[in-house]
């Protein structure tokens, strides 16, 4: 049995992905043989990179996309790393194994590749999802030398430290920002207030507005826009507000009304 055999099974089976089902439909393979293979075989983030790096078509306008997903293990009772956690797909808590994924997107050819991933297992390695994203981001720049100028991420990763890291690497970030984040669009005249309480003029709806963020990211300009192109075959976010950082722009964080956060 090889990885290709198992991958072909996963690709061809649309409803049942269990070892028992695989053994029942594969000649010469038993459940125990498949179980031994999966226990002994490992596919690390480094191995994924070794397989895909020769296929990647780089672009100076490339995007690095970070997002997490939960592998549903609702019927499991004693599988390692399975725990109850929030799933965006299920819109609630489910039992599963969480992965943090890193994709490289070429908006010019409309292609994308998985270039890295991490298993979220804080009980064993003590790392948060933010720790995993930071590691993969630094590795993409320092080790993989990927050509990209933008980082797309979910609101979960819209933290001050990660924003500052992305900016220090000379990249631009795009991320939805939660409605309860405290910002100021008055230049210090008014107190900080929730994002969902901001008033938007017609010009700002199109071009965004400059804001100060309560977390004291005082040298960014964040902008919200509605003109991003979608990154291929990936379901777009649908935030009420999108935040971005322009390189070497003066003072303040920024926002703008957006219907989808996309790469293009």
């Amino acid at each position: 049995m090889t990885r290709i055999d198992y991958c072909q099974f996963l690709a061809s089976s649309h409803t049942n992905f269990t070892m028992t089902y695989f053994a029942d439909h594969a000649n010469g393979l038993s459940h125990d043989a498949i179980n031994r293979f999966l226990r002994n075989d490992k596919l690390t983030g480094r191995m994924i990179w070794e397989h895909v790096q020769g296929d990647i078509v780089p672009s100076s306008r490339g995007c690095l996309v970070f997002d997490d997903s939960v592998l549903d293990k609702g019927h499991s009772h004693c599988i390692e790393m399975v725990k109850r956690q929030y799933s965006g797909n299920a819109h609630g808590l489910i039992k599963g194994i969480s992965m943090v994924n890193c994709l490289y997107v070429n908006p010019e050819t409309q292609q994308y590749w998985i270039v890295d991933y991490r298993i979220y297992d804080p009980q064993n390695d003590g790392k948060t999802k933010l720790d995993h994203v930071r590691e993969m981001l630094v590795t993409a720049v320092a080790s993989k030398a990927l050509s990209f100028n933008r980082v797309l991420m979910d609101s979960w990763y819209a933290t001050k430290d990660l924003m500052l890291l992305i900016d220090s690497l000379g990249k631009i970030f795009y991320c939805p920002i939660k409605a309860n984040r405290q910002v100021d669009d008055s230049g210090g005249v008014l107190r900080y207030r929730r994002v969902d309480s901001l008033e938007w003029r017609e010009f700002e709806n199109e071009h965004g507005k400059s804001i100060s963020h309560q977390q004291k990211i005082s040298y960014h300009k964040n902008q919200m826009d509605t003109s991003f192109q979608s990154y291929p075959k990936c379901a777009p976010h649908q935030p009420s507000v999108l935040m971005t950082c322009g390189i070497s722009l003066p003072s303040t964080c920024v926002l703008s009304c957006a219907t989808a956060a996309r790469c293009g």
Side-chain angles (χ1 to χ4, degrees):
M1 179 176 172
T2 66
R3 286 181 190 157
I4 294 179
D5 295 329
Y6 189 63
C7 289
Q8 287 178 337
F9 161 68
L10 295 178
S12 60
S13 179
H14 301 290
T15 57
N16 193 327
F17 306 97
T18 63
M19 291 183 285
T20 302
Y21 187 78
F22 186 14
D24 289 342
H25 292 80
N27 294 327
L29 287 178
S30 66
H31 175 277
D32 290 343
I34 298 170
N35 185 44
R36 283 194 298 271
F37 170 79
L38 294 178
R39 282 184 174 275
N40 296 326
D41 191 61
K42 295 184 182 298
L43 186 61
T44 64
R46 178 179 297 180
M47 294 173 66
I48 287 179
W49 171 246
E50 292 173 352
H51 282 287
V52 304
Q53 60 178 322
D55 298 327
I56 292 176
V57 180
S59 168
S60 59
R61 298 179 62 247
C63 303
L64 215 59
V65 181
F66 292 103
D67 199 8
D68 57 280
S69 58
V70 179
L71 307 179
D72 191 344
K73 300 294 181 182
H75 299 288
S76 67
H77 300 287
C78 56
I79 298 179
E80 295 180 41
M81 296 184 291
V82 171
K83 64 177 183 178
R84 292 186 63 82
Q85 51 197 307
Y86 181 81
S87 167
N89 184 53
H91 303 291
L93 293 175
I94 65 171
K95 290 170 61 179
I97 299 174
S98 182
M99 296 176 59
V100 184
N101 306 298
C102 175
L103 280 73
Y104 180 77
V105 181
N106 184 328
E108 296 164 348
T109 64
Q110 293 290 288
Q111 294 174 287
Y112 66 97
W113 301 264
I114 297 178
V115 296
D116 207 346
Y117 83 96
R118 297 289 189 275
I119 298 293
Y120 176 55
D121 186 21
Q123 285 76 18
N124 289 321
D125 59 24
K127 294 181 179 180
T128 66
K129 292 181 180 180
L130 289 169
D131 292 331
H132 291 310
V133 169
R134 279 191 290 266
E135 288 180 2
M136 290 190 287
L137 175 61
V138 172
T139 300
V141 175
S143 178
K144 296 181 173 67
L146 281 168
S147 176
F148 66 98
N149 67 351
R150 284 162 290 180
V151 177
L152 278 66
M153 53 192 182
D154 203 353
S155 58
W156 177 268
Y157 306 106
T159 64
K160 178 185 71 173
D161 291 342
L162 190 54
M163 292 176 188
L164 294 179
L165 173 60
I166 294 170
D167 185 63
S168 71
L169 296 173
K171 311 299 181 183
I172 299 172
F173 62 78
Y174 293 98
C175 58
I177 185 172
K178 293 183 178 179
N180 62 355
R181 295 289 281 271
Q182 299 290 314
V183 298
D184 171 37
D185 63 346
S186 68
V189 177
L190 302 175
R191 300 179 64 180
Y192 286 96
R193 53 180 172 160
R194 290 168 55 106
V195 167
D196 57 5
S197 68
L198 295 177
E199 297 177 357
W200 297 85
R201 293 174 294 181
E202 184 176 350
F203 176 83
E204 292 172 335
N205 280 330
E206 182 176 354
H207 299 284
K209 64 166 65 185
S210 296
I211 58 101
S212 294
H213 196 283
Q214 197 173 34
Q215 287 187 309
K216 307 301 181 186
I217 312 175
S218 59
Y219 48 87
H220 290 75
K221 181 156 185 176
N222 301 343
Q223 176 183 0
M224 298 196 59
D225 197 359
T226 58
S227 61
F228 306 120
Q229 302 297 314
S230 64
Y231 46 92
K233 300 182 182 178
C234 294
H237 298 295
Q238 294 185 340
S240 57
V241 178
L242 176 71
M243 186 161 64
T244 181
C245 160
I247 301 302
S248 301
L249 291 175
S251 226
T252 74
C253 290
V254 180
L255 305 179
S256 151
C257 281
T259 57
R262 306 184 177 192
C263 172

